[in-house]
């Protein structure tokens, strides 16, 4: 049986590499899982990977936010192949086969696979043994004389980004190697591990169509981590049938690996000459191999710079998104004669998928809305923003509450927001008749506390499907009389599922206990719940959005 492993990272941050033993490995937030994730979008038992004699399969275990393989959401157990990307929230896991061609080179070049880049390139390899094209190989030294390294440094100038550095690297190499007609830099993609063409240079006119490169040469360099020189590519039998190469004859080729200080392959640099008599020498290969260490440092510096710039841009974008989202939420609770209202909202990230609002309605009525969009972060926040506009429009334009919620659900279903859904609950308060109309779409129950401390749940029997699950769903309405001293409490699962240091959830029973205790205003009751949740989760990082709304009629 082949060996398999998962390379795991969160966002752009590598976490670890885990060997997969034969049998089932469960992935989730539960400490008892085989692979434990801290991702807030992961369920306690999220997915399972099974390694058997027939290969590897993955199955979603009914998780709330779903599991994706190569960008597609799992609907049933699916076989996995080497290089498949598994996504759970912001966590990515890449399946690697110990029997695959990648070994530990840092690049994956599957036989017959295409090199994915924006234009592509044409593979000129044939069917013969790749070693037959190699006439010279040398190890890549760690350092090189300052004079030639200085030529590269002068070519780079003050360039910092990868987009600027790579073309100037080729400019410097063309200055050193006068025989070179073409030059290429290929780097290993961080996501797939495959080689991607990042820069190219031609001494004269550019050839038409995708550049012609030999996969055999590239595979040899990446797998051996040694510099390769060939002066007889056309004489190799593999190219007898490759008529396409005749228009761009690579008569002499040098290709060297770009390696990190730790030995991992970042990519390759290739120079080739097409004119007869312009063959590279053994000394040329030694020079290029020596310069590879300078190239590696330049590439690493450029990638680190681009990563910092990207992180700073992302930070600024998230700060702007946070301000925009806060603008969609009420700045303060409205004032209604004879009632007091309290609300609290805290996203786990810069932006979140929880949503609440107050919508004024005809006749002095007020709609109090609470929703929880599946998922976290920017994508959930964008869905939330769209939902917020639809909710306000439907509630204000539709006289019947049930019909308004049904229309919101139908619109949500038709948008097909990447298979997302939202739990949703709305209370329409009539402060004159002292009645509340409640419709619940798959959300947690509304807790109603009366003046004597009695706590009842409104919602479980009338609860409908979450928004976005099924078009045409018929929702039901519950009417609640609001006597003096009554408080209604709405909240999202960031409250009820808050974890303590031992991963025990706060729970609905504890909310009932708080509500059954001393009464008070809506603010006093809401703050009492929040303080208790904070005590419970002390020392833990907030992993879910928290939203709480309390509506009370003072006694």
């Amino acid at each position: 049986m082949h060996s398999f492993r998962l390379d795991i990272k969160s966002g752009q941050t590598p976490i670890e590499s885990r060997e997969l033993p034969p049998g089932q490995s469960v992935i989730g937030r539960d400490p008892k899982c085989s692979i434990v994730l801290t991702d807030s979008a992961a369920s306690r038992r999220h997915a399972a990977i099974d390694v058997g004699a027939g290969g590897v399969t993955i199955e979603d275990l009914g998780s709330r936010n779903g599991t994706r393989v190569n960008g597609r959401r799992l609907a049933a157990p699916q076989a996995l192949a080497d290089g498949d990307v598994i996504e759970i929230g912001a966590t990515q896991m890449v399946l690697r086969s110990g029997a695959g061609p990648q070994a530990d080179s840092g690049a994956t070049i599957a036989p017959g696979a295409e090199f994915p880049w924006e234009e592509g390139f044409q593979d000129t390899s044939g069917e013969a043994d790749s070693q037959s094209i190699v006439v010279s190989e040398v190890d890549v030294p760690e350092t090189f004389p300052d004079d030639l390294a200085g030529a590269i440094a002068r070519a780079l100038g003050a360039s910092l980004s990868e987009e600027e550095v790579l073309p100037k690297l080729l400019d410097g190499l063309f200055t050193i190697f006068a025989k070179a007609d073409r030059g290429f830099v290929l780097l290993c993609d961080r996501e797939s591990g495959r080689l991607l063409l990042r820069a190219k240079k031609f001494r004269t006119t550019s050839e038409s169509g995708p550049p012609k490169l030999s996969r055999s040469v590239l595979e040899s360099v990446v797998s051996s981590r040694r510099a390769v020189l060939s002066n007889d590519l056309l004489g190799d039998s593999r190219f007898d049938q490759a008529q396409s190469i005749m228009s761009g004859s690579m008569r002499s080729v040098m290709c060297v690996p770009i390696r990190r200080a730790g030995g991992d392959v970042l990519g390759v640099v290739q120079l080739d000459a097409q004119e007869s008599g312009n063959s590279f020498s053994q000394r040329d290969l030694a020079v290029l191999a020596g310069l590879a260490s300078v190239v590696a440092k330049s590439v690493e510096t450029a990638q680190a710079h681009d990563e910092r710039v990207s992180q700073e841009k992302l930070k600024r974008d998230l700060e702007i998104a946070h301000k925009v989202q806060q603008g969609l939420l009420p700045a303060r609770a409205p004032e209604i004669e004879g009632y007091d209202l309290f609300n609290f909202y805290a996203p786990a990230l810069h932006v979140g998928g929880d949503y609440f609002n107050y919508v004024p309605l005809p006749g002095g009525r007020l709609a109090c809305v609470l929703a929880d969009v599946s998922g976290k972060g920017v994508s959930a926040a964008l869905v939330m923003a769209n939902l917020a506009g639809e909710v306000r429009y439907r509630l204000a334009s539709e006289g019947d509450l049930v019909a308004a919620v049904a229309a919101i659900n139908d619109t949500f279903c038709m948008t097909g927001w990447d298979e997302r859904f939202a739990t949703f609950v709305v209370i329409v308060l009539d402060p004159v008749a002292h009645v509340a109309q409640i419709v619940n779409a798959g959300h947690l129950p509304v807790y109603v506390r009366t003046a004597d401390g009695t706590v009842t749940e409104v919602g479980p029997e009338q609860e409908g499907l979450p928004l976005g699950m099924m078009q045409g769903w018929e929702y039901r309405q519950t009417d609640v009389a609001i006597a003096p001293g009554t408080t209604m409490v709405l909240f999202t699962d960031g409250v009820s599922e808050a974890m303590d240091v031992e991963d025990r959830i706060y729970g609905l029973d504890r909310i009932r206990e708080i509500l059954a205790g001393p009464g008070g205003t809506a603010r006093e009751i809401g703050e009492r719940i929040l303080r208790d949740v904070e005590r419970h989760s002390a020392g833990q990082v907030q992993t879910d959005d928290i939203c709480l709304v309390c509506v009370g009629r003072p006694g």
Side-chain angles (χ1 to χ4, degrees), residues 196-247:
L196 305 182
L197 185 54
R198 296 299 195 194
K200 57 185 177 180
K201 181 177 176 63
F202 301 90
R203 190 170 295 277
T204 55
T205 58
S206 174
E207 61 188 59
S208 60
K212 302 177 179 66
L213 298 174
S214 170
R215 189 185 307 275
S216 299
V217 172
L218 300 175
E219 286 183 340
S220 175
V221 171
V222 170
S223 61
S224 68
R225 304 188 187 190
R226 307 188 76 203
V228 168
L229 166 65
S230 173
N231 282 327
D232 191 22
L233 284 184
L234 290 182
D236 194 291
S237 60
R238 77 189 63 236
F239 301 120
D240 288 348
Q241 303 300 318
Q243 299 299 322
S244 60
I245 198 174
M246 300 308 294
S247 62

Side-chain angles (χ1 to χ4, degrees), residues 294-327:
V294 180
V295 173
K297 291 178 182 178
S298 301
V299 170
E300 286 191 279
T301 301
Q303 290 182 339
H305 168 269
D306 289 350
E307 182 70 19
R308 287 194 299 271
V309 171
S310 177
Q311 290 297 325
E312 286 298 319
K313 183 178 183 301
L314 176 61
K315 182 180 178 180
R316 290 194 299 271
D317 288 347
L318 288 175
E319 289 172 351
I320 294 172
H322 176 75
K323 292 179 181 178
V324 171
Q325 185 176 50
Q326 292 303 306

Side-chain angles (χ1 to χ4, degrees), residues 66-268:
T67 304
R68 294 182 177 277
V69 176
N70 298 328
R72 298 181 65 86
R73 185 166 180 149
L74 278 181
Q78 177 177 321
L80 294 175
D82 183 54
D84 280 350
V85 179
I86 304 162
E87 295 178 82
I88 295 178
T91 304
Q92 287 191 340
M93 293 164 278
V94 182
L95 181 70
R96 298 299 188 193
S97 170
Q102 141 224 337
D104 61 348
S105 65
T108 301
I109 308 178
E114 294 183 0
F115 284 82
W117 73 294
E118 58 187 1
E119 297 177 13
F121 67 77
Q122 182 175 334
D123 178 24
T124 59
S125 303
E127 302 296 329
D129 181 4
S130 64
Q131 295 303 316
S132 64
I133 68 169
V134 179
V135 298
S136 182
E137 290 187 18
V138 298
D139 290 321
V140 178
E142 296 295 330
T143 59
F144 203 70
D146 292 338
D147 54 346
L148 292 178
I152 297 294
R154 287 190 296 274
L156 292 178
S159 302
L160 290 175
S161 69
E162 184 180 296
E163 185 178 13
E164 295 176 331
V165 165
L166 298 185
K168 291 186 177 181
L169 275 174
L170 290 175
D171 289 342
L173 292 176
F174 269 50
T175 300
I176 297 171
F177 299 97
K179 297 177 182 178
D181 294 314
R182 307 189 313 164
F184 304 97
V185 178
L186 299 93
L187 299 180
C188 296
D189 179 60
R190 296 182 183 183
E191 301 294 331
S192 65
R194 295 173 181 266
L195 285 176
L196 305 182
L197 185 54
R198 296 299 195 194
K200 57 185 177 180
K201 181 177 176 63
F202 301 90
R203 190 170 295 277
T204 55
T205 58
S206 174
E207 61 188 59
S208 60
K212 302 177 179 66
L213 298 174
S214 170
R215 189 185 307 275
S216 299
V217 172
L218 300 175
E219 286 183 340
S220 175
V221 171
V222 170
S223 61
S224 68
R225 304 188 187 190
R226 307 188 76 203
V228 168
L229 166 65
S230 173
N231 282 327
D232 191 22
L233 284 184
L234 290 182
D236 194 291
S237 60
R238 77 189 63 236
F239 301 120
D240 288 348
Q241 303 300 318
Q243 299 299 322
S244 60
I245 198 174
M246 300 308 294
S247 62
S249 305
M250 293 184 293
R251 297 185 179 276
S252 183
V253 176
M254 292 192 299
C255 190
V256 302
I258 307 171
R259 296 171 55 187
R260 299 181 189 272
D264 292 338
V265 175
L266 282 168
V268 297

Side-chain angles (χ1 to χ4, degrees), residues 16-76:
E16 61 178 329
S17 184
R18 292 285 299 273
E19 295 294 330
L20 293 175
Q24 188 181 78
S25 297
V26 178
I27 306 171
R29 288 194 294 118
D30 193 315
K32 297 180 181 179
C33 289
S34 307
I35 299 175
V36 180
L37 302 181
T38 58
D39 196 311
S40 60
S43 299
R44 296 182 68 81
R45 289 172 57 85
H46 196 104
I49 292 181
D50 192 270
V51 179
V56 184
T57 58
I58 185 170
E59 177 182 7
D60 186 86
L61 299 179
S63 66
R64 179 173 182 179
N65 296 317
T67 304
R68 294 182 177 277
V69 176
N70 298 328
R72 298 181 65 86
R73 185 166 180 149
L74 278 181

